[in-house]
Each structure stands twice: as structure tokens, then as C-alpha cells.
Amino acid sequence: MNYGIWADIFMEHEYVGGRCEDFTFRPDPPTAETMKREGIMMRETAGGFRLIADESAFSHEISLVFWAYPVHRNLWNVTEFGEIPADSIPFAKIKDESLQWETSSKGDIPEAMQLPKPMFGMEIANSQGKSGASITLSLKTKKMKWYYYISGLPDNDTAEIVKIKGDKEASPFDTTKGNLGESVFVSKQEIPLRYGAPPLFQLREKKTSKAIIKCLPNMDARSVSTVILDGRREIVAESFVNT
């Protein structure tokens, strides 16, 4: 038998800054039967999976369906798929070298694939005679305003958050007082959540270079919350800091 690459699927996520290895992929029951019949084997790779098939599988069109499950639940909080109806799930349609995101009804997920809950699905198809499709699925991170609740500041009006390293665009913060007297710094612009090192903000005395806090903490996926802004619910990232 002569084997070749039927498809290469790679995952990238803005949250981790590139190749993402935090998903597992499972074929649904009809796909598993098709793979067995056609001699298609699945191999996990760094940040995705590879489908290897006997050359006979390239001579006719085949369609396979897989479901993606996040290894870490943090990805549920940070991934942005756009406006998805409550009764639907994101679904990637892959044909040869093309990729298109659609939605699929949650009721269409086979019962055997519903637990644990998949994050999205994908259908991979090939044209007759085509082989070696390579597709990268790039997921985006939710953009949200950052809230720092900082207690212990002697004078709220003398401090400001200054970006010293990280994103190219500056992200100034508005300052207010919280219900318990803490200082609340709210970013004027939305900032994406990222895994690992923070964009490096400092809390300084205004009009000086004196740092009150040399490095404010990074927001992570567990800090996502909902507040009422301008009369509507909005997702924010919150961090509580004691000076």
C-alpha cells in the first residue's frame, strides 16, 4: 500500500500567541466508520492532527466530520466566534485548501459526541484526485476593557496607570472610586486577553516616573466578569490589587 497525507489541520489561538495545542479532536461515529473503510488514519500533531490515507482514498470525494474539545476550560471564556445563536455551535467547512466558518445546530451533534461539550465542529472534504490539504484554523480572543481594583492608595487623584512595554497602542485608564473606597482604573480601550506575561503596566505617581507598583498583574481567563456599562451588560476583565 502507498500512503499519503490526506489532510493536515493546525490550530492557532490569539490567546496563546500562535500554535495552540489545547484541543483534542474526535471523529463522529459515521466518520470513524468511513475512516476504517477507506483506510484513513488519524495522527495527533503539535497543535492539530494529520489524516493519512492509502492512495485509493484520493480517487473519490470523501467527507469527514470532527469535533473539537478544549483541554483547558479557560479557552471557553476567551474565544471570540462572533454572533452565534444560543442553539448553535461554530462549524468549520473545509474543502481542499478553502475554509469557511458557519454555524450548526446543537441538535445536530451526535449524542456520542455531546459529552464533554465540543467547542466547535469541522467538516473536512476533498475533491476527487486532490490530496495533501493543509489548513490552519485561527481563533481570536475576546476584546474587553480591563478593570484594576486597587486598595491602599493614599490619594486616588495622584496615581495613573502607564504602559511601559507591550502593545504598540497606548491604553490610557480612567480613574474612579469604588464602593469600598478602593481606586478603580478602567481602560479606555478594549485589550485582548493573552496567556503568560502581561503587557507590563505600571502604577505611577502622576507627572513623575516614581512607580507605586512596578508591574501590574496580567488578566487571565478566570478574571472575566460582567458589569453594567451605559445601561447594558458588558464583559470585562478584573483584577484586585493590594498596595
Side-chain angles (χ1 to χ4, degrees):
M1 292 185 179
N2 294 319
Y3 285 88
I5 299 174
W6 194 83
D8 259 332
I9 305 299
F10 302 100
M11 292 298 307
E12 291 182 350
H13 204 303
E14 186 179 20
Y15 180 60
V16 297
R19 188 64 57 85
C20 180
E21 301 182 16
D22 293 330
F23 286 96
T24 58
F25 301 90
R26 294 166 51 196
D28 66 12
T31 291
E33 293 179 6
T34 299
M35 292 173 65
K36 183 177 180 179
R37 183 180 66 251
E38 298 288 345
I40 301 176
M41 297 178 290
M42 181 178 180
R43 296 286 185 268
E44 293 185 1
T45 60
F49 62 95
R50 171 174 291 175
L51 298 173
I52 304 171
D54 180 69
E55 60 183 8
S56 61
F58 299 100
S59 62
H60 53 285
E61 293 190 14
I62 297 175
S63 179
L64 306 175
V65 175
F66 296 84
W67 300 93
Y69 303 84
V71 176
H72 302 293
R73 293 198 60 85
N74 285 351
L75 292 181
W76 286 102
N77 288 347
V78 302
T79 305
E80 176 60 66
F81 280 111
E83 296 296 329
I84 302 293
D87 60 350
S88 298
I89 187 172
F91 198 84
K93 302 277 285 190
I94 300 170
K95 181 69 177 289
D96 300 328
E97 298 290 339
S98 68
L99 166 65
Q100 182 176 352
W101 283 99
E102 300 178 357
T103 59
S104 177
S105 171
K106 291 181 179 178
D108 293 337
I109 303 174
E111 184 176 354
M113 315 304 295
Q114 292 183 7
L115 293 175
K117 180 183 175 183
M119 190 168 184
F120 64 90
M122 71 176 75
E123 180 183 23
I124 309 172
N126 73 313
S127 298
Q128 184 174 342
K130 293 281 188 178
S131 63
S134 180
I135 291 290
T136 298
L137 284 72
S138 298
L139 302 184
K140 297 295 183 182
T141 304
K142 292 177 180 175
K143 309 297 189 294
M144 58 194 72
K145 291 188 176 181
W146 287 25
Y147 276 42
Y148 284 107
Y149 296 86
I150 301 177
S151 63
L153 292 179
D155 188 347
N156 180 71
D157 295 330
T158 63
E160 62 182 350
I161 293 177
V162 178
K163 176 172 286 190
I164 59 174
K165 184 179 179 182
D167 297 330
K168 294 181 180 179
E169 298 296 327
S171 298
F173 285 73
D174 287 326
T175 308
T176 61
K177 275 289 188 182
N179 295 330
L180 301 178
E182 73 278 16
S183 300
V184 184
F185 293 85
V186 184
S187 66
K188 293 183 179 180
Q189 294 133 3
E190 293 179 329
I191 305 172
L193 290 179
R194 291 195 178 95
Y195 179 79
L200 295 183
F201 297 105
Q202 281 188 357
L203 181 65
R204 295 182 183 174
E205 290 186 356
K206 287 184 178 179
K207 299 180 180 179
T208 75
S209 59
K210 181 180 178 181
I212 302 172
I213 297 177
K214 292 186 177 180
C215 183
L216 288 166
N218 190 19
M219 302 293 186
D220 63 29
R222 293 168 296 179
S223 67
V224 175
S225 182
T226 303
V227 300
I228 302 298
L229 293 177
D230 299 326
R232 63 186 179 88
R233 294 167 62 87
E234 184 169 332
I235 299 174
V236 299
E238 298 179 313
S239 186
F240 297 83
V241 183
N242 294 316
T243 61

